Amino acid sequence: MIILKDILYKVAIEVVKGSTEMAVNKIEFDSRKIEENDVFVAIRGTVSNGHDFIEKAINLGATVIVCDTLPDIIVTGITYVQVKDTNSALAFMASNYYDNPSSKIRLVGITGTNGKTTIASLLYQLFKKAGYKVGLLSTVKIMVDETEHKATHTTPDSLTINHYLNEMVAIGCEFCFMEVSSHGVHQKRTEGLQFEGGVFTNLSHDHLDYHPTFAEYRDVKKSFFDHLPKTAFALTNVDDKNGSVMLQNTNAKKLTYALKSYADYRAQILENQLSGLLLKINENEVWVRLIGTFNAYNLLAIYGTAVQLGLENLEVLRLLSELESVSGRFQFIVSNEKITAIVDYAHTPDALENVLKTINDIRTKNEQLITVVGCGGDRDKTKRPIMANIATQMSDKVIITSDNPRTENPATIIAEMEAGVEPQNFKKSLSIEDRKQAIKTACQLANTNDIILIAGKGHETYQEIHGVRYDFDDMKIVKEFLEQMNK
Ligand SMILES: CC(=O)N[C@H]1[C@@H](OP(=O)(O)OP(=O)(O)OC[C@H]2O[C@@H](n3ccc(=O)[nH]c3=O)[C@H](O)[C@@H]2O)O[C@H](CO)[C@@H](O)[C@@H]1O[C@H](C)C(=O)N[C@@H](C)C(=O)N[C@H](CCC(=O)O)C(=O)O
Ligand SMILES: Nc1ncnc2c1ncn2[C@@H]1O[C@H](COP(=O)(O)OP(=O)(O)OP(=O)(O)O)[C@@H](O)[C@H]1O
Ligand SMILES: N[C@H](CCC[C@H](N)C(=O)O)C(=O)O
Ligand SMILES: [Mg+2]
């Protein structure tokens, strides 16, 4: 039995009406999930306002209401807790409800525009290989050691985070690696968690639909580091111009990694091929099966984190050499006709440029590079022309197509992308709305030794059109077409 008073610990309370000594069942922030004796936390969202559902929650059995503004009608027998910020209250309450699991596991958060999933998933893999029980909260999946759960967000809501952290602790996980998105920080999903470390990857154009300016987006990321305690480490990429900004006001132990600048963890790329990278990390050479300069950064972040968490340097290098690429992150197949098809989650201008640069650095240029790319609907529109421009500048042929149009008209998204193609590149690009047809066309156009890049959806196994999700898997589809055409 849980007493309300106990889950309100550390919550900045302004007014309480009613008793806090009562027993409660569970916490919910969605009125539709309320059951007898639940606590309903009213959240102000982007679509609706949780405060409008207080009456509904009470009718369904809620006995405690946490809100930032008291409703006009106060119902007797109900306890009202008025707080300044309900998102923050929810985070502390979630943590208390699950008995503060983040204090019983060594938790590391990874933030930045690109690389979070790669770093978190590879750290999970590395610590598993080192023999530990490990947890993972990522865009692709949630792992409670070996048990997989579906992920709905990059950083889930605070109740979900604490629920899974609690499961991890219960089965003896020693470490947990989690992605920390800017939405997550802004909506205080990670507040009240005890992190042992924070990692910053890089900052570039994304989510400017949600954050009004780039400066705000940067400061939201920075606030994650501002809140780290003295006992934690903060590891940042100082080759990124915002890398040192992240650590300006942190109390944590400041650590750096870089390929080009002076840093605590440094690497040099000795070889960069389709079969992998040969790196020199702090004076030791290591072959890894991951590809491209951006992965050299990711691997350095992983190395630094693993060493900070107490693994021995040479052991970490050995484990790095065993890592395998993360699903949908530069995943590739080579067909019978020696056509290489690469599936990558690059859905931001920066990520797309990086992937194309990586391919262009490695290829011989005697072959064609054919890129299939689209942009998601109901997301940052400003990146559409930029991504089409990058794709056409850096490939021989581009097929502009749909990503997840969600509730938008796919043709409109494609037109907005096309607007970014420069006249000299018109001849290189065609638009095919149906993503399956677009992939098929790329396969038809490809000759021996050509490279097909399918960008934007990576590991996703669905396509969301007009709000409906259909089965869709870039890798499966390209494989099928190449086999069908006997290529
Ligand atoms: C823009 C955004 O972040 N939205 C999140 C937000 O939803 P919202 O603001 O639309 O909420 P709302 O529908 O307005 O509702 C407000 C409140 O009223 C409640 N409500 C609503 C209706 C009702 O009948 N009763 C009721 O109680 C809702 O439960 C909610 O608490 O709060 C919800 C609950 O936590 C999230 O599921 C939802 O994520 C949506 C699905 C989403 O797509 N988020 C993306 C943008 C996101 O967060 N992405 C980042 C990563 C992106 C990246 O790095 O690439 C992520 O961490 O995943
Ligand atoms: N360090 C990096 N720098 C730049 N680009 C990267 C880096 N790591 C990965 N990428 C590219 O960005 C894409 C997304 O990588 P990843 O999924 O690891 O990022 P993420 O930060 O988790 O993204 P999301 O915000 O969607 O959760 C990859 O498919 C790859 O093309
Ligand atoms: N976490 C990202 C995923 C984008 C993936 C892309 N395929 C799209 O649908 O836009 C977002 O919600 O912005
Ligand atoms: Mg991710």
Side-chain angles (χ1 to χ4, degrees), residues 209-239:
D209 51 335
Y210 183 83
H211 302 288
T213 61
F214 187 77
E216 201 222 78
Y217 176 48
R218 179 196 62 209
D219 293 345
V220 166
K221 294 270 185 203
K222 177 174 171 288
S223 74
F224 170 67
F225 294 94
D226 294 348
H227 287 98
L228 287 180
K230 236 165 84 184
T231 47
F233 66 85
L235 174 62
T236 196
N237 169 9
V238 278
D239 281 349

Side-chain angles (χ1 to χ4, degrees), residues 117 139 154 179:
T117 301
T139 315
T154 289
E179 289 187 51

